[in-house]
Structure formats: structure tokens, C-alpha cells
Amino acid sequence: QVQLVESGGGLVQPGGSLRLSCAASGFTFTTYVTAWFRQAPGKEREFVVCQNQIGSFTYYTDSVKGRFTITRDNAKNMVYLQMNNLKPEDTAVYYCAAGEAIPNWKATTSYAYWGQGTQVTVAS
């Protein structure tokens, strides 16, 4: 019933841009913090960015600051990740997540709902 459906992943050259989308349903989206995580092969799932319920607070991991932008559209139950100036090290499966009353913004365990993941590959 609860769904976070991601789209927008794909192959992009270094320096290129990509926008990921996540459509939420089955829960009260407007009361949830939204976040993006990523996981590269052989690595732990890594926090990328989160945003509070009304979009007034955003926290980015250092490696994506100035390049990635999270936005949300509560009227459409959508969250987006605009990724610019992509680097090969950004290659990973990207996951949309949502949680309420987040005790730790960076922890995967703080988020109750997860998308299926979408592959982003940055390569020439």
C-alpha cells in the first residue's frame, strides 16, 4: 500500500546532469521528512540529503553540496533530486526514503519507507 516509486536514473557522462523523481502514495506525505540515499557495489548505503516536511530545512552530505538539490512538491506528493556536475564516484543505486520524527538524519534506520532504487551510472 505504501509506495515510493522512483524514476529518472540512467547513464550520464561526467559533468552531466540528471533529475530523479519519487512519487509517494499510501501515507501522509506532508508529515514526513524525505531523503535520498545511495549505495555503490560493495559499500554501505550512504546518506545524500534530506529535507523537512515543508521544505524549509535541507541537509546535504559534504560530497554533494553545490551539485545536488532536493525539492519536494507536497501538492503532488513528489520529491526530486536534481544532480548536476556528476562525477564517476556518484555512480550508485539511489533510493528515495521517508520518515517521521527523524532521530538521526543520516541513518537508514530513521526512515520507515523506501523506494525500490534507481541506478545512476556516471561514465564516459
Side-chain angles (χ1 to χ4, degrees), residues 39-84:
Q39 188 167 23
K43 295 185 177 180
E44 296 285 334
R45 191 166 297 187
E46 175 191 24
F47 172 82
V48 178
V49 62
C50 67
Q51 189 168 66
N52 72 341
Q53 292 89 336
I54 62 172
S56 61
F57 173 81
T58 307
Y59 181 75
Y60 295 90
T61 194
D62 286 344
S63 63
V64 307
K65 287 181 180 177
R67 299 190 298 120
F68 290 12
T69 303
I70 188 173
T71 56
R72 65 189 292 164
D73 186 340
N74 285 338
K76 297 181 178 180
N77 288 357
M78 295 287 294
V79 59
Y80 306 95
L81 183 66
Q82 178 66 46
M83 303 183 293
N84 298 325

Side-chain angles (χ1 to χ4, degrees), residues 12-18 67 82-87 90 122:
V12 64
Q13 294 186 357
S17 297
L18 207 60
R67 299 190 298 120
Q82 178 66 46
M83 303 183 293
N84 298 325
N85 300 316
L86 283 161
K87 303 175 180 179
D90 295 319
V122 185

